[in-house]
Structure formats: structure tokens, C-alpha cells
Amino acid sequence: MSRLLVVALAGEGLLAGVALVWIRLRGLGVGVGDLMPGLWMGFGAALLLGLVNYMVVRLAPPIRPVQAIRRLYHETLRPLFAEVGPLEIVGVSVAAGVGEELLFRGAVQAEFGLVAASVLFGLAHISGRSSVVFGLWVAVMGFGLGGLAQAAGGLLAPIVAHTVYDAMAISYIRWAPEVRA
């Protein structure tokens, strides 16, 4: 098992544990939602997010925010995922989908609302000045995932959407031809 996968499982597992304790102690009544609508909505949202991501990374004009995201892909994400295989991609994606959705949509959104959860989700993805634009993009995605949770009546749809989107994005970062800022 790779170090990246161990770190992802441990970190996201910790987020999931915190979220579950929080949900339970506060009696937030967070549910999963219906199986088939949750799966369909989740896959549909992942495809939409993946398409938008592809358009930003490959097709958008090189304006400053687009260049910032492309630089982050080139300088940070591509090296991070350069050697991952399919098992690691699936493991990291499932861990992030479950851990982050339990925390941000399950606990934070249920407690403080959609806007707070989306802003915190974006902030959690900022690791310095070079990733601020990425954090803003993630906050927008978080808003979409939060709306998806509301529309689906539970966490299954955003967990599926997050997991599938991450798997597509990591696979793209890993195997697509290099994109320069």
C-alpha cells in the first residue's frame, strides 16, 4: 500500500469519524437518501463537474485564474499523482468522497448551512497563495455538492459525485498529456 493511500485513508477516516461523532452528538438527522436517485444524481453531477474541469484545464482561455489552476495542476497535483495506479486512485477517491462529504455536507452543512459548508470546503483545499483560485473553485463545487445533498435528500448523491469526480480528475492528472499554464 502506497504512502499516499495510507495518508488519504487515515486523514479522510479521521474526518469521517469526527463527522459521525458530531452528527450523532448533535442529533443532526443526516440521512443517505434513496439508492437509485442518489446514484443517478451522483454520477450525473460527477460527469458535469468533470466536463467543467476539463474545459477549465484544457479549453478555457489563459486568463489569470485559469492559469493559476493550470499551474497548480502542473506544479503540485501532477507530481503528487505521477505514480499512482488504479487501486490508489479508487482508494483515495472513495476516502475523500466519504470523509469530506460526511464532514462538510453531513455535519457542517446540517449545523451551519450550505454557504458556511461551501466556504469551509473551499478553505480546506487552500494550501498557500498558489492555491487560492483552486480553493474558490472548490467552494463553488462544494456549493453544488451541498445543493445536490438537499435535492437528493441525503449524502449518497454527493458522496458518489465527489468520489467519481475525484477518480476522473486524478486519472486525468495522472495520464493526460501535460498542460502548461
Side-chain angles (χ1 to χ4, degrees):
M1 189 178 310
S2 75
R3 196 165 139 210
L4 176 65
L5 184 55
V6 169
V7 169
L9 292 173
E12 300 293 349
L14 180 62
L15 292 181
V18 167
L20 289 171
V21 168
W22 183 349
I23 290 165
R24 175 80 173 157
L25 289 177
R26 299 287 295 154
L28 296 177
V30 174
V32 174
D34 292 330
L35 178 64
M36 291 312 293
L39 291 174
W40 282 111
M41 292 171 79
F43 279 110
L47 291 175
L48 180 62
L49 288 171
L51 178 61
V52 171
N53 190 60
Y54 177 81
M55 290 170 61
V56 168
V57 172
R58 279 286 191 212
L59 305 175
I63 59 175
R64 183 170 274 153
V66 171
Q67 288 176 319
I69 289 174
R70 289 177 180 164
R71 258 192 316 279
L72 180 75
Y73 268 59
H74 172 70
E75 296 171 4
T76 304
L77 299 177
R78 192 150 181 114
L80 178 65
F81 296 117
E83 301 299 320
V84 297
L87 177 64
E88 293 157 310
I89 291 171
V90 169
V92 168
S93 299
V94 169
V98 172
E100 293 177 19
E101 292 310 309
L102 277 170
L103 181 63
F104 291 103
R105 259 50 73 192
V108 177
Q109 183 169 320
E111 187 84 45
F112 302 110
L114 176 59
V115 172
S118 302
V119 169
L120 290 173
F121 186 59
L123 289 172
H125 287 81
I126 296 173
S127 60
R129 278 186 45 182
S130 64
S131 61
V132 169
V133 172
F134 180 70
L136 292 171
W137 166 235
V138 171
V140 170
M141 286 195 295
F143 193 82
L145 290 167
L148 184 61
Q150 291 174 343
L155 295 180
L156 179 61
I159 287 172
V160 169
H162 192 146
T163 299
V164 172
Y165 168 80
D166 278 5
M168 290 187 313
I170 295 169
S171 296
Y172 182 82
I173 291 165
R174 168 65 171 92
W175 285 295
E178 184 70 27
V179 176
R180 291 286 179 182

